[in-house]
mmCIF file of all heavy atoms in Angstrom:
data_model
loop_
_atom_site.group_PDB
_atom_site.id
_atom_site.type_symbol
_atom_site.label_atom_id
_atom_site.label_comp_id
_atom_site.label_asym_id
_atom_site.label_seq_id
_atom_site.Cartn_x
_atom_site.Cartn_y
_atom_site.Cartn_z
ATOM 1 N N HIS A 1123 -5.090 -5.341 28.558
ATOM 2 C CA HIS A 1123 -4.645 -5.322 27.164
ATOM 3 C C HIS A 1123 -5.835 -5.654 26.272
ATOM 4 O O HIS A 1123 -6.470 -6.692 26.459
ATOM 5 C CB HIS A 1123 -3.529 -6.351 26.945
ATOM 6 C CG HIS A 1123 -2.338 -6.124 27.814
ATOM 7 N ND1 HIS A 1123 -1.300 -5.313 27.446
ATOM 8 C CD2 HIS A 1123 -2.027 -6.593 29.049
ATOM 9 C CE1 HIS A 1123 -0.400 -5.304 28.401
ATOM 10 N NE2 HIS A 1123 -0.823 -6.069 29.396
ATOM 11 N N THR A 1124 -6.111 -4.789 25.308
ATOM 12 C CA THR A 1124 -7.178 -5.043 24.343
ATOM 13 C C THR A 1124 -6.502 -5.551 23.072
ATOM 14 O O THR A 1124 -5.730 -4.821 22.443
ATOM 15 C CB THR A 1124 -7.996 -3.766 24.080
ATOM 16 O OG1 THR A 1124 -8.491 -3.283 25.327
ATOM 17 C CG2 THR A 1124 -9.153 -4.053 23.141
ATOM 18 N N ILE A 1125 -6.785 -6.807 22.731
ATOM 19 C CA ILE A 1125 -6.057 -7.468 21.650
ATOM 20 C C ILE A 1125 -7.006 -8.105 20.638
ATOM 21 O O ILE A 1125 -8.162 -8.398 20.941
ATOM 22 C CB ILE A 1125 -5.122 -8.568 22.206
ATOM 23 C CG1 ILE A 1125 -5.939 -9.647 22.940
ATOM 24 C CG2 ILE A 1125 -4.048 -7.970 23.094
ATOM 25 C CD1 ILE A 1125 -5.170 -10.916 23.254
ATOM 26 N N LEU A 1126 -6.488 -8.308 19.435
ATOM 27 C CA LEU A 1126 -7.153 -9.122 18.420
ATOM 28 C C LEU A 1126 -6.363 -10.421 18.337
ATOM 29 O O LEU A 1126 -5.244 -10.441 17.812
ATOM 30 C CB LEU A 1126 -7.166 -8.438 17.055
ATOM 31 C CG LEU A 1126 -7.771 -9.307 15.944
ATOM 32 C CD1 LEU A 1126 -9.290 -9.386 16.104
ATOM 33 C CD2 LEU A 1126 -7.389 -8.795 14.577
ATOM 34 N N PRO A 1127 -6.895 -11.517 18.877
ATOM 35 C CA PRO A 1127 -6.200 -12.802 18.776
ATOM 36 C C PRO A 1127 -6.302 -13.372 17.355
ATOM 37 O O PRO A 1127 -7.301 -13.173 16.663
ATOM 38 C CB PRO A 1127 -6.960 -13.707 19.749
ATOM 39 C CG PRO A 1127 -7.790 -12.804 20.574
ATOM 40 C CD PRO A 1127 -8.068 -11.613 19.728
ATOM 41 N N PHE A 1128 -5.251 -14.083 16.953
ATOM 42 C CA PHE A 1128 -5.269 -14.766 15.661
ATOM 43 C C PHE A 1128 -4.361 -15.980 15.729
ATOM 44 O O PHE A 1128 -3.557 -16.120 16.654
ATOM 45 C CB PHE A 1128 -4.876 -13.827 14.513
ATOM 46 C CG PHE A 1128 -3.454 -13.345 14.539
ATOM 47 C CD1 PHE A 1128 -2.457 -14.029 13.856
ATOM 48 C CD2 PHE A 1128 -3.118 -12.185 15.215
ATOM 49 C CE1 PHE A 1128 -1.148 -13.579 13.861
ATOM 50 C CE2 PHE A 1128 -1.808 -11.720 15.230
ATOM 51 C CZ PHE A 1128 -0.826 -12.414 14.548
ATOM 52 N N PHE A 1135 -1.368 -16.016 18.410
ATOM 53 C CA PHE A 1135 -0.760 -14.694 18.414
ATOM 54 C C PHE A 1135 -1.836 -13.665 18.745
ATOM 55 O O PHE A 1135 -3.022 -13.982 18.796
ATOM 56 C CB PHE A 1135 -0.179 -14.363 17.031
ATOM 57 C CG PHE A 1135 0.940 -15.267 16.601
ATOM 58 C CD1 PHE A 1135 0.689 -16.375 15.806
ATOM 59 C CD2 PHE A 1135 2.249 -15.000 16.976
ATOM 60 C CE1 PHE A 1135 1.718 -17.209 15.399
ATOM 61 C CE2 PHE A 1135 3.283 -15.827 16.572
ATOM 62 C CZ PHE A 1135 3.018 -16.940 15.785
ATOM 63 N N ALA A 1136 -1.403 -12.421 18.901
ATOM 64 C CA ALA A 1136 -2.342 -11.320 19.105
ATOM 65 C C ALA A 1136 -1.677 -10.028 18.657
ATOM 66 O O ALA A 1136 -0.445 -9.926 18.614
ATOM 67 C CB ALA A 1136 -2.746 -11.224 20.567
ATOM 68 N N LEU A 1137 -2.507 -9.073 18.334
ATOM 69 C CA LEU A 1137 -2.073 -7.715 18.007
ATOM 70 C C LEU A 1137 -2.828 -6.744 18.895
ATOM 71 O O LEU A 1137 -3.988 -7.014 19.233
ATOM 72 C CB LEU A 1137 -2.402 -7.384 16.550
ATOM 73 C CG LEU A 1137 -1.554 -8.059 15.493
ATOM 74 C CD1 LEU A 1137 -2.274 -8.060 14.158
ATOM 75 C CD2 LEU A 1137 -0.218 -7.340 15.373
ATOM 76 N N PRO A 1138 -2.221 -5.614 19.250
ATOM 77 C CA PRO A 1138 -2.991 -4.602 19.965
ATOM 78 C C PRO A 1138 -4.164 -4.151 19.084
ATOM 79 O O PRO A 1138 -3.979 -3.803 17.919
ATOM 80 C CB PRO A 1138 -1.995 -3.465 20.170
ATOM 81 C CG PRO A 1138 -0.642 -4.108 20.058
ATOM 82 C CD PRO A 1138 -0.827 -5.232 19.081
ATOM 83 N N ALA A 1139 -5.361 -4.170 19.639
ATOM 84 C CA ALA A 1139 -6.557 -3.847 18.850
ATOM 85 C C ALA A 1139 -6.518 -2.432 18.288
ATOM 86 O O ALA A 1139 -7.087 -2.176 17.222
ATOM 87 C CB ALA A 1139 -7.809 -4.055 19.691
ATOM 88 N N LYS A 1140 -5.813 -1.527 18.958
ATOM 89 C CA LYS A 1140 -5.763 -0.138 18.481
ATOM 90 C C LYS A 1140 -5.059 -0.011 17.128
ATOM 91 O O LYS A 1140 -5.237 0.975 16.436
ATOM 92 C CB LYS A 1140 -5.108 0.768 19.518
ATOM 93 C CG LYS A 1140 -3.642 0.487 19.747
ATOM 94 C CD LYS A 1140 -3.056 1.366 20.818
ATOM 95 C CE LYS A 1140 -1.575 1.020 21.002
ATOM 96 N NZ LYS A 1140 -0.999 1.787 22.073
ATOM 97 N N GLN A 1141 -4.264 -1.004 16.736
ATOM 98 C CA GLN A 1141 -3.584 -0.967 15.443
ATOM 99 C C GLN A 1141 -4.402 -1.619 14.324
ATOM 100 O O GLN A 1141 -4.046 -1.510 13.165
ATOM 101 C CB GLN A 1141 -2.228 -1.661 15.542
ATOM 102 C CG GLN A 1141 -1.257 -0.920 16.430
ATOM 103 C CD GLN A 1141 0.072 -1.620 16.500
ATOM 104 O OE1 GLN A 1141 0.141 -2.821 16.733
ATOM 105 N NE2 GLN A 1141 1.133 -0.873 16.302
ATOM 106 N N VAL A 1142 -5.476 -2.303 14.676
ATOM 107 C CA VAL A 1142 -6.273 -3.029 13.693
ATOM 108 C C VAL A 1142 -7.346 -2.113 13.110
ATOM 109 O O VAL A 1142 -8.126 -1.511 13.844
ATOM 110 C CB VAL A 1142 -6.921 -4.279 14.332
ATOM 111 C CG1 VAL A 1142 -7.831 -4.982 13.339
ATOM 112 C CG2 VAL A 1142 -5.846 -5.224 14.861
ATOM 113 N N ILE A 1143 -7.367 -2.024 11.793
ATOM 114 C CA ILE A 1143 -8.405 -1.248 11.114
ATOM 115 C C ILE A 1143 -9.616 -2.133 10.869
ATOM 116 O O ILE A 1143 -10.744 -1.762 11.177
ATOM 117 C CB ILE A 1143 -7.872 -0.657 9.786
ATOM 118 C CG1 ILE A 1143 -6.725 0.301 10.077
ATOM 119 C CG2 ILE A 1143 -9.000 0.008 9.013
ATOM 120 C CD1 ILE A 1143 -5.981 0.781 8.855
ATOM 121 N N ILE A 1195 -5.604 -9.227 8.167
ATOM 122 C CA ILE A 1195 -5.727 -8.150 9.143
ATOM 123 C C ILE A 1195 -5.142 -6.880 8.521
ATOM 124 O O ILE A 1195 -3.969 -6.844 8.132
ATOM 125 C CB ILE A 1195 -4.997 -8.499 10.460
ATOM 126 C CG1 ILE A 1195 -5.526 -9.831 11.015
ATOM 127 C CG2 ILE A 1195 -5.187 -7.371 11.470
ATOM 128 C CD1 ILE A 1195 -4.732 -10.361 12.202
ATOM 129 N N TRP A 1196 -5.974 -5.868 8.434
ATOM 130 C CA TRP A 1196 -5.570 -4.562 7.913
ATOM 131 C C TRP A 1196 -5.100 -3.750 9.115
ATOM 132 O O TRP A 1196 -5.871 -3.508 10.046
ATOM 133 C CB TRP A 1196 -6.754 -3.937 7.220
ATOM 134 C CG TRP A 1196 -6.549 -2.614 6.562
ATOM 135 C CD1 TRP A 1196 -5.400 -1.899 6.434
ATOM 136 C CD2 TRP A 1196 -7.565 -1.842 5.923
ATOM 137 N NE1 TRP A 1196 -5.624 -0.730 5.761
ATOM 138 C CE2 TRP A 1196 -6.947 -0.675 5.435
ATOM 139 C CE3 TRP A 1196 -8.923 -2.026 5.725
ATOM 140 C CZ2 TRP A 1196 -7.663 0.313 4.759
ATOM 141 C CZ3 TRP A 1196 -9.631 -1.046 5.043
ATOM 142 C CH2 TRP A 1196 -9.005 0.107 4.561
ATOM 143 N N LEU A 1197 -3.833 -3.359 9.103
ATOM 144 C CA LEU A 1197 -3.195 -2.712 10.254
ATOM 145 C C LEU A 1197 -2.706 -1.313 9.929
ATOM 146 O O LEU A 1197 -2.396 -1.009 8.779
ATOM 147 C CB LEU A 1197 -1.961 -3.514 10.683
ATOM 148 C CG LEU A 1197 -2.181 -4.941 11.110
ATOM 149 C CD1 LEU A 1197 -0.876 -5.694 11.101
ATOM 150 C CD2 LEU A 1197 -2.794 -4.948 12.477
ATOM 151 N N ARG A 1198 -2.568 -0.528 10.982
ATOM 152 C CA ARG A 1198 -1.957 0.793 10.854
ATOM 153 C C ARG A 1198 -0.762 0.845 11.802
ATOM 154 O O ARG A 1198 -0.914 0.723 13.011
ATOM 155 C CB ARG A 1198 -2.952 1.885 11.224
ATOM 156 C CG ARG A 1198 -2.367 3.290 11.092
ATOM 157 C CD ARG A 1198 -3.371 4.379 11.413
ATOM 158 N NE ARG A 1198 -4.425 4.395 10.394
ATOM 159 C CZ ARG A 1198 -5.719 4.179 10.654
ATOM 160 N NH1 ARG A 1198 -6.123 3.937 11.865
ATOM 161 N NH2 ARG A 1198 -6.605 4.222 9.684
ATOM 162 N N VAL A 1214 -12.199 -9.563 19.452
ATOM 163 C CA VAL A 1214 -11.328 -8.787 20.326
ATOM 164 C C VAL A 1214 -11.508 -9.261 21.767
ATOM 165 O O VAL A 1214 -12.619 -9.529 22.212
ATOM 166 C CB VAL A 1214 -11.645 -7.280 20.194
ATOM 167 C CG1 VAL A 1214 -10.962 -6.464 21.278
ATOM 168 C CG2 VAL A 1214 -11.237 -6.784 18.813
ATOM 169 N N HIS A 1215 -10.369 -9.397 22.478
ATOM 170 C CA HIS A 1215 -10.364 -9.815 23.887
ATOM 171 C C HIS A 1215 -9.807 -8.672 24.742
ATOM 172 O O HIS A 1215 -8.957 -7.908 24.288
ATOM 173 C CB HIS A 1215 -9.419 -10.996 24.108
ATOM 174 C CG HIS A 1215 -9.901 -12.321 23.659
ATOM 175 N ND1 HIS A 1215 -10.564 -12.543 22.482
ATOM 176 C CD2 HIS A 1215 -9.779 -13.541 24.235
ATOM 177 C CE1 HIS A 1215 -10.829 -13.831 22.354
ATOM 178 N NE2 HIS A 1215 -10.359 -14.464 23.401
ATOM 179 N N LEU A 1221 2.413 -8.167 30.613
ATOM 180 C CA LEU A 1221 3.045 -8.634 29.389
ATOM 181 C C LEU A 1221 4.414 -9.164 29.790
ATOM 182 O O LEU A 1221 5.231 -8.443 30.359
ATOM 183 C CB LEU A 1221 3.181 -7.492 28.388
ATOM 184 C CG LEU A 1221 3.860 -7.824 27.076
ATOM 185 C CD1 LEU A 1221 3.032 -8.817 26.275
ATOM 186 C CD2 LEU A 1221 4.089 -6.566 26.268
ATOM 187 N N HIS A 1235 6.575 -9.135 20.837
ATOM 188 C CA HIS A 1235 6.784 -8.150 21.899
ATOM 189 C C HIS A 1235 6.818 -8.820 23.273
ATOM 190 O O HIS A 1235 7.510 -8.369 24.166
ATOM 191 C CB HIS A 1235 5.676 -7.102 21.825
ATOM 192 C CG HIS A 1235 5.842 -5.962 22.764
ATOM 193 N ND1 HIS A 1235 6.923 -5.114 22.717
ATOM 194 C CD2 HIS A 1235 5.073 -5.543 23.785
ATOM 195 C CE1 HIS A 1235 6.804 -4.204 23.668
ATOM 196 N NE2 HIS A 1235 5.695 -4.445 24.333
ATOM 197 N N LEU A 1238 1.276 -12.792 26.597
ATOM 198 C CA LEU A 1238 0.144 -12.472 27.468
ATOM 199 C C LEU A 1238 -0.494 -13.779 27.888
ATOM 200 O O LEU A 1238 -0.786 -14.627 27.041
ATOM 201 C CB LEU A 1238 -0.901 -11.636 26.720
ATOM 202 C CG LEU A 1238 -0.595 -10.171 26.513
ATOM 203 C CD1 LEU A 1238 -1.650 -9.546 25.602
ATOM 204 C CD2 LEU A 1238 -0.529 -9.431 27.832
ATOM 205 N N LEU A 1246 1.198 -14.856 21.882
ATOM 206 C CA LEU A 1246 2.426 -14.141 21.550
ATOM 207 C C LEU A 1246 1.997 -12.800 20.962
ATOM 208 O O LEU A 1246 1.406 -12.739 19.875
ATOM 209 C CB LEU A 1246 3.255 -14.923 20.536
ATOM 210 C CG LEU A 1246 3.827 -16.242 21.024
ATOM 211 C CD1 LEU A 1246 4.464 -17.011 19.869
ATOM 212 C CD2 LEU A 1246 4.842 -16.008 22.128
ATOM 213 N N LEU A 1247 2.249 -11.724 21.694
ATOM 214 C CA LEU A 1247 1.828 -10.395 21.262
ATOM 215 C C LEU A 1247 2.811 -9.866 20.230
ATOM 216 O O LEU A 1247 4.016 -9.791 20.498
ATOM 217 C CB LEU A 1247 1.740 -9.443 22.455
ATOM 218 C CG LEU A 1247 1.168 -8.071 22.144
ATOM 219 C CD1 LEU A 1247 -0.304 -8.177 21.729
ATOM 220 C CD2 LEU A 1247 1.315 -7.148 23.338
ATOM 221 N N GLN A 1248 2.307 -9.528 19.067
ATOM 222 C CA GLN A 1248 3.126 -9.017 17.979
ATOM 223 C C GLN A 1248 3.306 -7.513 18.103
ATOM 224 O O GLN A 1248 2.397 -6.801 18.518
ATOM 225 C CB GLN A 1248 2.470 -9.325 16.623
ATOM 226 C CG GLN A 1248 2.401 -10.791 16.302
ATOM 227 C CD GLN A 1248 3.781 -11.375 16.167
ATOM 228 O OE1 GLN A 1248 4.541 -11.019 15.290
ATOM 229 N NE2 GLN A 1248 4.132 -12.270 17.064
ATOM 230 N N ASP A 1249 4.474 -7.042 17.723
ATOM 231 C CA ASP A 1249 4.772 -5.614 17.688
ATOM 232 C C ASP A 1249 4.938 -5.222 16.227
ATOM 233 O O ASP A 1249 5.986 -5.458 15.633
ATOM 234 C CB ASP A 1249 6.041 -5.322 18.487
ATOM 235 C CG ASP A 1249 6.430 -3.863 18.466
ATOM 236 O OD1 ASP A 1249 5.647 -3.024 17.962
ATOM 237 O OD2 ASP A 1249 7.523 -3.548 18.955
ATOM 238 N N ILE A 1250 3.893 -4.665 15.661
ATOM 239 C CA ILE A 1250 3.920 -4.342 14.236
ATOM 240 C C ILE A 1250 4.973 -3.273 13.934
ATOM 241 O O ILE A 1250 5.508 -3.208 12.838
ATOM 242 C CB ILE A 1250 2.512 -3.932 13.723
ATOM 243 C CG1 ILE A 1250 2.432 -4.055 12.206
ATOM 244 C CG2 ILE A 1250 2.121 -2.558 14.191
ATOM 245 C CD1 ILE A 1250 2.563 -5.459 11.696
ATOM 246 N N GLU A 1251 5.309 -2.449 14.933
ATOM 247 C CA GLU A 1251 6.315 -1.403 14.721
ATOM 248 C C GLU A 1251 7.711 -1.990 14.505
ATOM 249 O O GLU A 1251 8.545 -1.378 13.860
ATOM 250 C CB GLU A 1251 6.336 -0.424 15.899
ATOM 251 C CG GLU A 1251 5.019 0.267 16.181
ATOM 252 C CD GLU A 1251 4.419 1.018 14.998
ATOM 253 O OE1 GLU A 1251 5.170 1.456 14.098
ATOM 254 O OE2 GLU A 1251 3.180 1.162 14.971
#
Side-chain angles (χ1 to χ4, degrees):
H1123 301 272
T1124 304
I1125 61 167
L1126 176 73
F1128 66 92
F1135 296 95
L1137 287 159
K1140 67 182 180 183
Q1141 293 180 311
V1142 176
I1143 298 171
I1195 304 172
W1196 182 4
L1197 300 163
R1198 181 178 293 119
V1214 169
H1215 284 42
L1221 178 65
H1235 186 61
L1238 283 173
L1246 294 172
L1247 186 66
Q1248 294 296 296
D1249 179 8
I1250 199 65
E1251 302 305 334

